[in-house]
Amino acid sequence: MAYIVALTGGIGSGKTTVANEFAKLGIPLVDADVIARQVVEPGSAALNAILNRYGTNIIHSDGSLNRQHLRDIIFSDTTEKVWLNALLHPLIHQKTQQQLQQANTPYVLWIVPLLFENNLSHLADRVLVIDVTPEEQISRTVHRDNVNEEQVANILKAQSSREHRLAYADDVITNHNGELNISDKVAKLHKRYMTLAQQKNR
Ligand code: ATP
């Protein structure tokens, strides 16, 4: 099993930007957001269970899950949230382990936006946090997505605080606006992770 580096950070911090630099070095990426979508693909057992519970309104005309509608349901009803989590969490966990085990490199990068919120850090050998200011998170996300400042601020409130993430980080990449040397920072960490992976597999 490859050494597992979990990459986390708040909304708009730059996780994708940083992960792409590791990918350029040949490191495989396992992305929690991608897996969360894969387990509810059209035709999947999980999407069928969701369809049985909520009816055809829960899917778009192309057969894909209407995520916004599902979010609205679980936001206003704890029972439904518990039901959905009980359905999806084991499937997501299983798929994550499968993908992590497929890595044939010394280490693998596991991108997990909600690593701390979902208490998943024990599944990683090392935690890398992308750090920016809340102001930068807000302005980038407003710029990128079609949302206003208040909506992003609410998402920030629901996520772990900057301080919490930094307190539990093994490594930190700061990614302030205009940061130019992300690839240098990633190259240094890559070296460190290769060494740590070797030590673990000895
Ligand atoms: P999310 O979790 O919200 O999907 P993320 O953590 O993956 O976000 P990115 O998608 O990498 O973050 O970056 C968010 C936005 O900020 C993107 O539009 C990206 O181009 C921009 N961005 C990333 N790094 C910087 C930087 N150093 N300076 C300015 N803009 C940046």
Side-chain angles (χ1 to χ4, degrees):
M1 177 92 171
Y3 186 82
I4 299 166
V5 177
L7 172 82
T8 193
I11 184 168
S13 54
K15 295 179 292 295
T16 309
T17 307
V18 171
N20 289 341
E21 293 298 324
F22 280 97
K24 283 185 201 163
L25 300 173
I27 296 305
L29 309 179
V30 173
D31 187 325
D33 284 347
V34 172
I35 291 174
R37 283 195 293 273
Q38 286 174 339
V39 298
V40 290
E41 271 170 0
S44 63
L47 187 57
N48 288 339
I50 291 169
L51 189 59
N52 280 339
R53 193 166 178 97
Y54 302 117
T56 47
N57 275 348
I58 205 70
I59 53 171
H60 294 294
S61 51
D62 67 357
S64 64
L65 178 63
N66 184 335
R67 299 177 159 274
Q68 187 56 51
H69 190 70
L70 188 60
R71 266 197 293 269
D72 292 343
I73 293 174
I74 63 168
F75 185 74
S76 54
D77 192 333
T78 314
T79 311
E80 297 311 311
K81 187 174 178 176
V82 169
W83 179 82
L84 190 70
N85 284 342
L87 173 72
L88 297 183
H89 280 179
L91 297 171
I92 291 171
H93 180 73
Q94 194 188 16
K95 212 171 190 51
T96 303
Q97 292 306 315
Q98 263 173 12
Q99 293 193 8
L100 290 171
Q101 277 164 19
Q102 274 167 12
N104 54 4
T105 42
Y107 77 94
V108 55
L109 198 70
W110 177 32
I111 311 162
V112 207
L114 301 179
L115 184 77
F116 297 121
E117 294 81 347
N118 290 340
N119 292 318
L120 297 170
S121 45
H122 65 282
L123 296 172
D125 294 297
R126 190 99 183 160
V127 173
L128 168 59
V129 165
I130 312 304
D131 183 53
V132 287
T133 65
E135 293 73 23
E136 285 169 320
Q137 288 180 270
I138 292 173
S139 68
R140 285 180 194 175
T141 309
V142 166
H143 191 74
R144 187 193 55 184
D145 306 338
N146 193 18
V147 288
N148 62 40
E149 281 190 16
E150 196 189 337
Q151 285 167 311
V152 188
N154 282 334
I155 295 172
L156 251 73
K157 263 189 232 156
Q159 295 187 342
S160 283
S161 67
R162 184 180 184 189
E163 292 70 29
H164 182 92
R165 278 195 204 94
L166 291 175
Y168 289 95
D170 295 307
D171 305 298
V172 177
I173 287 188
T174 49
N175 181 33
H176 295 307
N177 285 340
E179 190 69 59
L180 293 175
N181 53 354
I182 289 292
S183 54
D184 293 346
K185 294 180 185 184
V186 167
K188 272 194 196 124
L189 284 174
H190 175 67
K191 262 193 179 168
R192 187 181 300 167
Y193 295 152
M194 291 297 261
T195 307
L196 286 168
Q198 245 172 15
Q199 285 168 356
K200 187 194 171 191
N201 293 324
R202 218 177 259 164

